[in-house]
Amino acid sequence: MGENSILCSLSSLMILSLFTLFSCLFGHCYSVEQEQLGGYDTFTISSFKYPETQIRPFDMRYIRVDLPPWFSTLSIALKSSVDLDIKSVEKIPKSVLPMLCFRDGSLPLPDVSNTSFKALPLSNGSFGGILVLKNTEQCYPVPKNMTMRLTNEQISAGVLYLGLFNGVGPTRTQSKMIVRGPAYSFAVNISVEGCTASTMQGQYCNQTVELLSCGLSGSYHGFGNLSVTGFYNQSMVSCRNNFETSCNRDGEMNIYSLEIRRIAELLTITAENVTLRSPSRTGNSSEIDLMCFARYGALPSAAVHDYSGNLNKSPLVIRSPKVGRWYISILPLNLSKEIGGAQSNVSTVCYSLDVQELECPLGKAGPNCSSERYMLQTILRRDSTPFESYYLPDGEKVTSGAANFLLEPLLSNYTYGDGGIDTWTYFLVDIPRGAAGGNLHVRLTSDRKINYEIYARNGGLPSVDNWDYYYVNKTSSSHGSFFVLYNSMEEKVDFYILYVKEGIWNIGLRHLYSPSGTSDGQTTMSVSLERCPKRCSYHGECKSALDASGLTSYSFCACDRNHGGFDCSIEIVSHQGHIWQSIALIASNGAAVLPAFWALRQKAFAEWVLYTASGISSGLYHACDVGTWCALSYGVLQFMDFWLSFMAVVSTFVYLTTIDEVFKRTIHTVVAILTALMAITKATRSSNIILVMAIGALGLLVGWLIEISTKYRSLSFSMGFCSNRLERWQIREWLQNLVKTLLKRFRWGFVLAGFIALAMAAISWKLENSQTYWIWHSVWHVTIYTSSFFFLCSKVNTINNGNERPAADGNYQLTRQDSIPSGA
């Protein structure tokens, strides 16, 4: 057997070698290195496998993916138990819709956005890339199976977050007693590939990227073709390619990269010495379209870019560029037209690329570098969760020991002229790695009308035209998904940036020019990184968790039963409505009096104790759940409620049998153990109803079997005994007597009423949801106890002190006569 395997392997190897040699002879043979450079020169940067995880209704999971600058592709393979009809997704309420969301740099939060959802099957084509993820997220219905491959041309380097949700909306954050709706499970494999060569990038690592070499070239008062005055002592950083001249054919793209390490005022890209070359003659280079595409963090193209311009017409100027890696693509067009119809594949355009970066001196920023810039110092809060902190300027102008600072001593000086000039003051805030689940809180308070506009931007200086979030007044502010304004007025500004992105944030205060000069009022400013916004509006509890990778800490609000929303600010139930709901949920347990009274009347003390205890424990549990009063801890009350309710249902079935108390106690003991295990593990799952009914039916069956075996032990199934019995009684007559006994055992009108009440209980259980829970669960209490009462009333008592009453019609003549002595 082993020899056959070796021969088979050798044969396969010889065939493969011959095939390779045959391919090489025809010019199709590539070396391993060539094949890698052709599209597979990659290595695995990271690979994570998240095991199968269940997401219950209104629950969520976050996954963090780090994408370094040299990554090439991101592969995501997801498998879930969700099976949705894409055509009917728009009709499904979002409160029960499984959703998959993407966000760049921070965690998605679809609860605050109604515009990010796309009712489309998720694919590489439907995912629009990182440009549409700026300050928002993309959400899709969770697919059953999905495989995506996103390249560094689609998404930028940095951090990408995935969020899986099982229903969103105000009720997602609301505290609930019983969570309804289907749960689903998912498993994800995430792999990040990178290019082995630093000069090669792209989806297949086959695009050469030339790193521009930069160096300080001195101080300037003018910048390129821009004529400016009033500059401070600025530093100029000049970047060039390693070769003084680069040449491109028509439609051929060259890609360059540079790293901006400090906050810059301007970035200009200039093409010099542009010439057109051809084997036959030289054309006119003045009409050439030398297109330039610039993009932050990802490879640019004609279709996807941040900035673009024709360098042969004018330099491309980028104001306040972000700190980090920039990519520049140069693409010449229409070369053949300019050289009299020559073929474009033999004509080239040559140029020298010059990139200049203007940096302001330390502590200065803004237009003309005339504005003050402060790096705020992070001060951690004592006895707080990770990353909770506030920020203060590190200088003598700020009073120590306070969480806020006076603004006026830090403002930039006014420059008065015709019409006045608005001044800017900038504050830099560092959001550390892993703190993307926090919320940036900015607050201004003044004793007079606030005369400031606030602009915030991640990675670069903000301006009137370039910002991530802004506030001008109560009616003019950011309308993005993650900007929330609270209680703002003329003397107060208060807003949060939810789930703030990691990195350096620049907060620019624009002090509007006033002809009367600077106001004598005082304004205090507070900048802090907090957990839950507005402390969950004092209507909930702020909780913290980690994403699936354990690298990001995030916080969320668990609201009380009357409120919902990401900050518990949405009133779901009014105060008066809460009172009525509390009365209905608590008082409806009074229906337990019906079965308890009947059990006491029939001297069924065990059942009386169970029904009474069940009604009391359910009332106490609902009083605690609605926030009225908690006699014990919530967990203990919930266990007692479900356990005793399960026991009461099963005891109703057992009561319908006619067996000795010894057997009843045995059945009750076994049932108590089983139902306690059910109540302490997953009490709220809907399948428990079926299990309890099945246990009750089994208890009833066992009771009847015990009853029959006790009364008719003389019935033997041996052939000889059966023949004797057939001689004394006919089987048909025996069955008729048994049916008559059953008919007289129960009052069938009450049995029918019990089943009707039980059906009503099942319907009310099915109709329960987050909005109508209090109505239908109250109906559930009344109907389930009423059904138990009817079933108890349906039994005709045939036991008197443990002895069976003789039946008038002879139905109970099947007694143990053989054991009676002949002389009795």
Side-chain angles (χ1 to χ4, degrees), residues 86 241 614 656 801:
I86 299 298
N241 54 335
S614 175
L656 297 178
N801 296 328

Side-chain angles (χ1 to χ4, degrees), residues 324-639:
R325 180 165 296 187
W326 283 82
Y327 292 91
I328 302 170
S329 298
I330 305 298
L331 179 64
L333 300 174
N334 301 326
L335 301 186
S336 59
K337 181 179 68 173
E338 301 301 332
I339 61 173
Q343 293 297 323
S344 61
N345 59 355
V346 295
S347 59
T348 59
V349 61
C350 297
Y351 56 90
S352 296
L353 187 64
D354 184 21
V355 180
Q356 293 184 342
E357 173 191 342
L358 180 65
E359 297 180 352
C360 295
L362 187 63
K364 296 293 181 178
N368 301 342
C369 294
S370 60
S371 301
E372 300 292 336
R373 183 183 70 190
Y374 300 93
M375 184 68 195
L376 299 185
Q377 184 181 25
T378 304
I379 302 176
L380 298 177
R381 296 183 183 271
R382 293 182 180 180
D383 302 327
S384 62
T385 56
F387 304 115
E388 272 202 306
S389 56
Y390 56 92
Y391 298 87
L392 295 176
D394 187 12
E396 299 179 355
K397 298 180 181 180
V398 180
T399 304
S400 60
N404 49 34
F405 53 91
L406 194 60
L407 193 58
E408 275 73 19
L410 305 175
L411 293 177
S412 303
N413 294 327
Y414 268 107
T415 302
Y416 295 100
D418 295 336
I421 297 177
D422 299 331
T423 60
W424 288 76
T425 305
Y426 299 94
F427 299 96
L428 276 62
V429 177
D430 181 22
I431 305 298
R433 175 183 171 88
N439 307 285
L440 186 63
H441 186 195
V442 179
R443 183 172 51 190
L444 268 67
T445 305
S446 177
D447 53 4
R448 299 192 181 187
K449 180 180 179 180
I450 292 178
N451 197 29
Y452 299 102
E453 296 178 357
I454 306 175
Y455 298 84
R457 187 175 177 222
N458 179 260
L461 290 179
S463 64
V464 177
D465 302 320
N466 198 352
W467 43 264
D468 292 337
Y469 303 97
Y470 76 95
Y471 171 85
V472 174
N473 51 50
K474 290 188 298 183
T475 59
S476 179
S477 60
S478 294
H479 299 286
S481 302
F482 298 92
F483 182 90
V484 182
L485 192 63
Y486 287 110
N487 301 326
S488 294
M489 56 190 72
E490 291 185 349
E491 298 84 12
K492 181 182 178 181
V493 178
D494 190 351
F495 66 82
Y496 282 86
I497 299 177
L498 304 179
Y499 285 172
V500 62
K501 186 177 180 180
E502 299 172 3
I504 300 295
W505 278 83
N506 298 268
I507 301 175
L509 265 66
R510 184 188 181 195
H511 193 181
L512 302 179
Y513 171 75
S514 175
S516 59
T518 306
S519 173
D520 295 331
Q522 288 187 342
T523 304
T524 58
M525 183 174 184
S526 172
V527 181
S528 58
L529 184 63
E530 301 177 3
R531 295 173 62 201
C532 296
K534 208 179 177 182
R535 296 183 181 180
C536 297
S537 304
Y538 300 96
H539 294 303
E541 181 182 358
C542 186
K543 297 185 177 181
S544 297
L546 295 174
D547 74 308
S549 65
L551 299 176
T552 301
S553 172
Y554 66 94
S555 302
F556 60 95
C557 289
C559 308
D560 58 32
R561 290 192 56 83
N562 301 331
H563 297 83
F566 70 95
D567 59 352
C568 301
S569 62
I570 300 176
E571 186 181 58
I572 298 177
V573 181
S574 63
H575 178 68
Q576 185 177 4
H578 175 262
I579 294 176
W580 284 110
Q581 291 185 14
S582 302
I583 294 174
L585 287 170
I586 297 172
S588 60
N589 290 282
V593 172
L594 296 174
F597 168 76
W598 185 261
L600 183 62
R601 182 181 178 183
Q602 300 299 321
K603 297 183 179 181
F605 297 110
E607 287 78 3
W608 170 70
V609 171
L610 278 176
Y611 291 123
T612 303
S614 175
I616 294 174
S617 64
S618 181
L620 292 175
Y621 170 51
H622 284 286
C624 181
D625 186 63
V626 299
T628 303
W629 176 64
C630 291
L632 297 171
S633 65
Y634 182 84
V636 172
L637 291 175
Q638 186 183 61
F639 168 75

Side-chain angles (χ1 to χ4, degrees), residues 38-64:
Y40 303 96
D41 191 12
T42 63
F43 71 101
T44 302
I45 299 175
S46 62
S47 181
F48 293 93
K49 181 177 182 180
Y50 297 94
E52 184 172 340
T53 305
Q54 189 178 55
I55 300 185
R56 300 177 62 198
F58 302 109
D59 204 355
M60 73 281 192
R61 293 290 185 277
Y62 288 114
I63 299 175
R64 173 189 177 119

